[in-house]
Amino acid sequence: MPNARKKRQAKNEDFKKTRLKVGKKKVVADNFTDTSFKSKTISLPNQSITEDKSNLLTNSRNLTLSTLLSQMRHYSAGTRK
């Protein structure tokens, strides 16, 4: 009987809920991997806001001819229109 009791206690320890203490930080898991990163700059080379379109021909929606031609090959009928 003592062996059965030890086995039952060992099984219960696997699923035992750890009590959280007020003011204490959460304990980090053993297999925790830090995935945080920092970036100093964000590069937006192909964004339309950074382009100077003052010397290019544009339509009423401020789209250039090259942009309109690329939309002509779009799979969506609404975008092509």
Side-chain angles (χ1 to χ4, degrees), residues 14-40:
D14 288 338
F15 300 104
K16 188 177 280 187
K17 182 177 179 182
T18 56
R19 300 290 178 181
L20 300 176
K21 306 288 183 179
V22 177
K24 298 285 183 174
K25 289 190 175 182
K26 189 176 178 183
V27 178
V28 179
D30 295 335
N31 59 354
F32 174 75
T33 303
D34 185 23
T35 57
S36 62
F37 64 93
K38 293 181 181 178
S39 175
K40 292 191 180 210

Side-chain angles (χ1 to χ4, degrees), residues 4-16:
R5 189 178 308 145
K6 284 184 182 179
K7 285 182 184 179
R8 197 174 317 125
Q9 285 178 349
K11 282 184 182 179
N12 288 340
E13 284 180 15
D14 288 338
F15 300 104
K16 188 177 280 187

Side-chain angles (χ1 to χ4, degrees), residues 39-52:
S39 175
K40 292 191 180 210
T41 60
I42 298 173
S43 177
L44 304 173
N46 295 329
Q47 294 290 323
S48 61
I49 346 175
T50 59
E51 291 180 20
D52 182 27

Side-chain angles (χ1 to χ4, degrees), residues 43-62:
S43 177
L44 304 173
N46 295 329
Q47 294 290 323
S48 61
I49 346 175
T50 59
E51 291 180 20
D52 182 27
K53 296 181 182 176
S54 59
N55 58 353
L56 300 173
L57 293 175
T58 58
N59 66 355
S60 60
R61 294 183 179 175
N62 203 20

